[in-house]
Every structure is written in structure tokens, then in C-alpha cells.
Amino acid sequence: MTMPGEFPYLERLRAPYAVDPAQSRGRLHPEDASPTRNAFMRDRDRIIHSSAFRRLKHKTQVFVADEGDHFRTRLTHTIEVAQITRSIARALGLDEDLSEALALAHDLGHTPFGHTGEEVLDACLHDVGGFDHNAQALRIVTRLERRYAAYDGLNLTWETIEGLVKHNGPLLDADGQPTERYRRNGVPRAILEFDAVSPLALDSFASAEAQVAAISDDIAYNAHDIDDGLRAHLFELADLRELPFLDGLLEEIDLRWPGLERHRAIHELGRRVITRLVEDVIRESQGRLLAAAPGSADAVRSARMPMIGFSAAMAKADRGIKGFLFPHMYRHASVVETRRHAAQVTRDLFERFMAEPDLLPEEWRLSADERSGEAGRARHARCVADYIAGMTDRYAVHEHRRLFDVTPDLG
């Protein structure tokens, strides 16, 4: 038996508002503690070794994989988010392992073809609750991963699941009504079902660690979407000068390295975007934490505002970047055309599997009795969505070619 103190590296200095793994609320299925890893280290490792995590390698951010090897995938994006998350968590005295676990898990529920696949599945499931990638991530870590002998899912700690579900903020308001994000379809059933077994306080914020993972996601995709868009020639460096924040960074680069090669200037811009956003989050969050003086992780959860965020000036810059990228990148003619083809592939697959259940692999197939009636059709639709959502871009195209005579050109 391991004696206390035998592995002192497991004990770290944390701020009073940080989540302490030694005080975790535990797992749905109790397990013996590990002598060499704390609870959040184990969560992180289980996420990394999951099938869903590996599949992120071939899932798209904005471009499909065939358009080039240098554009981000869900996996490279996730690694970038995890790096930023650890940096901010360390500066704020938070638990780095929980923060990293949440960063690594935040995109597990995404479909093939980026947000296009999610939009199609949401429309296909409109009558049975829609599709939400956060709820899908919860389904993956609690049901769909089948690796362990004793249970389905990864059996993550309450704190990791709470952060996965609530990292974008409360799901219910003070009156128990869905917040704006869930007003149309309501809080997804998967979340409500888990909450009934292991309450997540859906009307409160998540931990500071989860909030850090969420804002790190924003920082990463702002920087890398600018980088990818420039490298794809969807827009040019000169176009970015309409944004004061980016214009200032480009001025810095021009003054220090006049006439710098384009590809080096792109890299210099990207690293400055990340640095300025990270430094702003640290300064702003330190100020909020100092003013609120939360004495525990629960005090962070019950606060009336997020403890982690941008300053007002940087929030304006963040909105400016997103406002620029929407028409110049996400709605660029070439990207829209690719999205249209990807939507067709996703929709075709859903409709074919709904109509011909025997085409599904055996492990995803329900019996005729299980599919009967309105409730059975809803179960079948969710099962089909689970199967498609787990596909990589290339596998979805492969399945479409197997089942249809003509497959749209995705690159």
C-alpha cells in the first residue's frame, strides 16, 4: 500500500478557489484511488486514450482534410487549447490537471465536417430534441465509449463532467428555465438524465478550471482561424488592418522586421494574438478573483458572473475578430460550397440509415421491437446520430460512397 507523501509531486499548491482533486465528489461508479495519479490526472489520461479522442485527428475545424495537411483538425485545435489552458490555469493557481482534462474533452462530441455536420444532425433530430455537441460529449464519456469491463463510458469524476456540461455557463436561469442557448429545444435529454442521477447544479457556473478551458477555446480558434484563413488566401494581412487590435500587432511586426516574408509575418501575428489574449485573461481574471475573494471552488460556481474572462477592451477585440472571420472565412464562397457538399453527405447518411436500419453495423443496430412506435423511432434516430457523429470526415465520405452511386466532391 502506498503511504501518504510517497509521491509528493501529486500535492500541489493551489489557490483557495481552485478545485482540489483530494476533495472530488467522486465517480458514478466508485473506484480505488491510484497511487501514482490523482483523480483528475486519471480523467485526463482516460480522455486521451479514448476512441473519440483519436478520431479528432480526422475531424475538420473549418476545412475538410483533403484541402491540405497544414490546416487545423479537431485534434490539433484541441492540443492548442490544452496548452493555452494549462498556461492560464498555472498563472491563476488553478488545478492544471482538471483544466487540461476539460480542454482535451471539450470537442469530443463534434461531428464530421465541423459545425456543418452538427447543424444537419440538429435539423434531422428536430422532433426528438435536436443535436448538441456538448450533450454528445456527455453521451460519449458516460455511455458510448465501451472500453472498461465494469461500466460504459469513461467513469470520469463529477468535476470533469460538470465542466464538460457547463463550461459555457449555466444551462438554466434562476427560475429554472433554459438559458438562451437551449431556449429552442430545451436542455438536452442526455444532460437532464445524468443530472437526475448526479446533480450538476445546472443553474450555476462551472469551476474556474472549466471557465479557463472555455475561454482558451476562444483564444485558440481566433488565432488559428486567422492563420488558416491567411494560408488559404481567403483574405490577406492587409485586410486585417480594419481591426484596430490586429492593426496594432501588424504595426509592431512591421516596425521590428520591415519587409518580413509573408509566412513569417503570419506566424508572428498568430503568436502575438495568443500572447495578448492570454495575458489579458490572466490580468482580468486576477482582478475579478481579487474583488470577489471566493474562498472555495463552490464560491466560484455560485458567483453572479464568470470569474474568468476578457477585459472590456479585449472582449471588443474578440468580437471584432469573430465579426471579421464570419464573412471572410466561414462564409467564403469556397468554404460555403464545401459545406454544402458536406451537408449533403451527412443528410444522405442519416436518411439512408433511418430507412434501412440493417445497413448499420451490428453494434449500432436496434431490434425491430426496439424501433417500433414513436419512442422507438426516436431511439433509432438517436442511435443513427450517435453513429454518424462518431465518424471522421474520411469515413463519412467512405460510407457515402459505399451506399450511394454519386458522392459530392469534398476536395
Side-chain angles (χ1 to χ4, degrees):
M1 178 177 288
T2 304
M3 300 301 292
E6 186 175 348
F7 293 98
Y9 63 85
L10 294 180
E11 300 303 319
R12 298 178 179 174
L13 187 62
R14 297 177 183 83
Y17 46 77
V19 179
D20 184 351
Q23 302 299 318
S24 171
R25 301 186 195 184
R27 306 176 189 275
L28 200 57
H29 306 280
E31 298 183 47
D32 292 336
S34 166
T36 57
R37 296 174 298 165
N38 69 39
F40 303 148
M41 290 177 179
R42 294 180 81 184
D43 283 359
R44 175 200 60 206
D45 296 348
R46 290 178 181 193
I47 291 162
I48 289 173
H49 289 283
S50 68
S51 299
F53 185 80
R54 288 198 301 278
R55 286 195 293 266
L56 296 178
K57 178 182 178 183
H58 296 295
K59 290 195 176 189
T60 308
Q61 278 291 113
V62 176
F63 301 91
V64 294
D66 287 345
E67 291 193 2
D69 292 336
H70 298 289
F71 300 120
R72 268 69 172 191
T73 65
R74 287 282 173 197
L75 182 60
T76 56
H77 165 70
T78 294
I79 293 170
E80 291 172 6
V81 174
Q83 179 269 317
I84 294 168
T85 296
R86 285 200 78 111
S87 296
I88 298 174
R90 182 177 297 120
L92 297 176
L94 300 173
D95 187 274
E96 294 177 36
D97 299 310
L98 175 58
S99 301
E100 184 180 25
L102 291 166
L104 293 170
H106 84 280
D107 267 356
L108 290 181
H110 274 288
T111 65
F113 310 125
H115 289 288
T116 301
E118 179 173 5
E119 291 167 4
V120 171
L121 289 184
D122 186 41
C124 290
L125 296 174
H126 178 268
D127 294 335
V128 293
F131 183 93
D132 174 79
H133 70 264
N134 283 336
Q136 190 67 16
L138 178 65
R139 287 176 62 79
I140 287 168
V141 301
T142 58
R143 301 182 187 183
L144 300 180
E145 282 284 332
R146 299 183 177 100
R147 306 174 58 83
Y148 299 95
Y151 45 76
D152 288 337
L154 303 180
N155 199 31
L156 303 177
T157 60
W158 181 92
E159 290 77 11
T160 298
I161 291 177
E162 180 224 19
L164 192 61
V165 170
K166 294 164 48 181
H167 63 272
N168 287 321
L171 280 64
L172 300 176
D173 61 23
D175 297 323
Q177 298 302 308
T179 52
E180 184 176 356
R181 176 185 177 92
Y182 293 109
R183 202 152 288 156
R184 181 172 71 93
N185 288 332
V187 176
R189 180 179 300 176
I191 294 175
L192 294 177
E193 288 176 350
F194 187 89
D195 182 66
V197 176
S198 182
L200 297 170
L202 298 177
D203 59 348
S204 70
F205 288 98
S207 64
E209 285 81 358
Q211 295 179 38
V212 166
I215 205 164
S216 297
D217 184 27
D218 278 355
I219 293 170
Y221 74 68
N222 275 346
H224 67 52
D225 282 359
I226 291 172
D227 184 88
D228 282 349
L230 287 167
R231 294 183 190 280
H233 293 279
L234 300 182
F235 48 84
E236 295 300 328
L237 285 164
D239 298 324
L240 298 174
R241 289 191 176 274
E242 70 181 63
L243 302 175
F245 172 63
L246 298 181
D247 182 51
L249 298 182
L250 289 169
E251 280 296 316
E252 287 181 15
I253 296 168
D254 288 346
L255 286 172
R256 186 164 183 182
W257 292 288
L260 188 64
E261 299 163 83
R262 183 179 184 273
H263 76 276
R264 292 182 188 270
I266 291 172
H267 177 69
E268 288 295 329
L269 176 63
R271 62 195 291 258
R272 280 167 170 73
V273 168
I274 292 173
T275 297
R276 299 300 167 81
L277 293 175
V278 166
E279 290 175 350
D280 181 84
V281 167
I282 291 171
R283 283 192 298 269
E284 174 67 17
S285 302
Q286 284 174 334
R288 294 185 190 185
L289 290 163
L290 183 64
S296 66
D298 281 341
V300 170
R301 294 183 175 102
S302 61
R304 304 180 72 174
M305 63 177 289
M307 289 291 99
I308 309 299
F310 293 123
S311 66
M314 197 59 80
K316 182 179 179 180
D318 173 66
R319 290 192 298 272
I321 292 172
K322 291 178 171 62
F324 176 89
L325 288 172
F326 188 83
H328 290 84
M329 185 171 186
Y330 311 137
R331 290 295 180 264
H332 189 279
S334 65
V335 175
V336 168
E337 181 68 4
T338 300
R339 283 169 54 95
R340 185 176 67 81
H341 290 160
Q344 181 182 336
V345 168
T346 308
R347 191 179 305 108
D348 286 348
L349 289 175
F350 185 88
E351 291 173 354
R352 177 61 64 87
F353 290 133
M354 285 297 295
E356 302 180 55
D358 289 345
L359 292 175
L360 287 166
E362 186 175 352
E363 62 269 28
W364 294 97
R365 207 179 301 158
L366 299 177
S367 68
D369 287 343
E370 290 173 315
R371 297 194 308 270
S372 66
E374 186 176 340
R377 189 180 187 283
R379 283 194 296 270
H380 176 47
R382 187 63 60 181
C383 199
V384 169
D386 286 340
Y387 178 52
I388 295 174
M391 293 179 178
T392 62
D393 294 13
R394 63 174 62 176
Y395 186 71
V397 171
H398 174 272
E399 282 290 88
H400 195 278
R401 287 176 178 154
R402 179 177 71 88
L403 298 172
F404 294 89
D405 293 334
V406 178
T407 294
D409 182 8
L410 287 171

